[in-house]
């Protein structure tokens, strides 16, 4: 197969969200809220169990009143914010303003770190004339994250679920992305970390390859091993 285009997932594929403890500590510091270490650990553990950090660990249990909202959380900005702030509110934090502040923090470039080989692989694809898109289930505009890390110039198109009201694995979102690249799906590879969501691209004829959803320090060359660009060392 001659690869003419590559679609990438965002969270867990090209970028990784900061750990829950870093997320919470940054917001407490920003708002000038001081808590002792035992309270901090209690809040962090509660937020992690609740799945309150988008892109972080999934909820251990989704409360029944939030089940429908959770299922469609990436279909609109409103649903996304409402879902994650509601999950966070299961934890009694010391300042009511923290819930919105935590949500805002996760949308900043500082909260995300690209995988070590992301820039190299994206740059190599651009150098070979391969078209590149990002297809993400998300409730906010991630373009500033790419700009903040100097990677926006390596992306040709973004197809984000909240902008279209469609979530992966719905084949329509992958079809939109291929159309935006001007390519036949048979000439496109979808790269992601979620076999169900990202695997939906196979329904329209895309080839699909997977990376492991690991911390940045534990996956230094996961994208390189996919051999998307001949000549790039593994």
């Amino acid at each position: 197969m001659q690869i003419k285009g590559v679609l990438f997932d965002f969270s867990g594929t090209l970028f990784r969200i900061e750990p829950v403890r870093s997320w919470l500590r940054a917001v407490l510091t920003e708002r000038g809220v001081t808590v002792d270490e035992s309270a901090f650990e209690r809040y962090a553990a509660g937020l992690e169990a609740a799945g309150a950090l988008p892109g972080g660990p999934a909820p251990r249990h989704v409360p029944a009143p939030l089940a429908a909202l959770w299922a469609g959380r990436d279909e609109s900005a409103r649903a996304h914010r409402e879902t994650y702030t509601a999950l966070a509110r299961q934890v009694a934090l010391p300042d009511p303003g923290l819930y919105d502040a935590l949500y805002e923090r996760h949308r900043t470039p500082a909260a995300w770190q690209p995988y070590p080989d992301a820039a190299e692989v994206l740059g190599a694809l651009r150098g070979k004339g391969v078209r590149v898109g990002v297809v993400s289930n998300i409730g906010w505009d991630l373009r500033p994250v790419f700009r903040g890390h100097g990677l926006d110039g390596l992306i040709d198109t973004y197809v984000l679920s909240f902008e279209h009201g469609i979530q992966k694995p719905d084949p329509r979102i992958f079809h939109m992305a291929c159309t935006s690249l001007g390519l036949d799906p048979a000439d496109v590879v979808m790269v992601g970390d979620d076999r169900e969501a990202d695997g939906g691209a196979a329904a329209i004829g895309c080839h699909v390859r997977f990376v492991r959803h690991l911390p940045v320090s534990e996956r230094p060359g996961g994208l390189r091993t996919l051999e998307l660009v001949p000549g790039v060392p593994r």
Side-chain angles (χ1 to χ4, degrees):
M1 171 195 181
Q2 180 185 357
I3 298 174
K4 297 181 180 179
V6 181
L7 301 174
F8 290 95
D9 172 53
F10 168 57
S11 176
T13 300
L14 290 175
F15 283 81
R16 174 83 178 202
I17 190 68
E18 65 187 333
V20 170
R21 281 161 177 76
S22 300
W23 174 58
L24 175 59
R25 197 174 295 281
V27 172
L28 291 173
T29 300
E30 178 185 287
R31 292 185 61 84
V33 177
T34 302
V35 300
D36 62 40
E37 198 59 28
S38 64
F40 175 83
E41 290 299 328
R42 185 172 67 254
Y43 298 143
L47 290 167
E48 184 167 323
L53 173 58
R60 294 180 190 169
H61 169 71
V62 177
L66 297 181
L69 195 59
W70 172 259
R73 65 193 178 279
D74 294 317
E75 293 179 2
S76 72
R78 178 204 59 77
H80 194 268
R81 177 183 285 271
E82 188 175 337
T83 300
Y84 283 100
T85 54
L87 290 170
R89 286 191 176 93
Q90 295 179 91
V91 182
L93 297 177
D95 174 356
L98 287 170
Y99 302 105
D100 282 326
L102 285 166
Y103 186 83
E104 291 303 324
R105 164 73 186 182
H106 103 275
R107 303 198 305 172
T108 65
W112 294 89
Q113 185 176 356
Y115 281 93
D117 56 348
E120 176 187 1
V121 169
L122 291 173
L125 290 168
R126 174 54 58 95
K128 294 290 185 179
V130 177
R131 303 277 288 168
V132 173
V134 172
V135 184
S136 179
N137 280 354
I138 198 164
W140 49 276
D141 185 2
L142 52 71
R143 294 171 183 87
V145 173
F146 280 79
R147 287 197 294 270
H149 290 276
L151 298 180
D152 183 58
L154 301 175
I155 308 299
D156 296 298
T157 192
Y158 297 88
V159 179
L160 311 180
S161 61
F162 84 101
E163 294 181 336
H164 301 283
I166 302 171
Q167 298 180 157
K168 297 181 290 186
D170 190 318
R172 292 177 294 170
I173 197 166
F174 302 107
H175 189 271
M176 286 179 187
C178 291
T179 299
S180 183
L181 292 178
L183 295 173
D184 188 300
D187 297 322
V188 175
V189 174
M190 174 69 207
V191 177
D193 66 299
D194 187 319
R195 291 185 177 273
E196 179 180 357
D198 300 313
I204 66 165
C206 291
H207 299 259
V208 185
R209 301 180 188 178
F210 295 101
V211 290
R212 297 175 67 192
H213 187 108
L214 293 171
V216 166
S217 62
E218 296 178 25
R219 211 194 77 195
L223 295 168
R224 282 197 302 268
T225 63
L226 299 179
E227 300 182 333
L228 298 168
V229 187
V232 174
R234 295 179 60 180

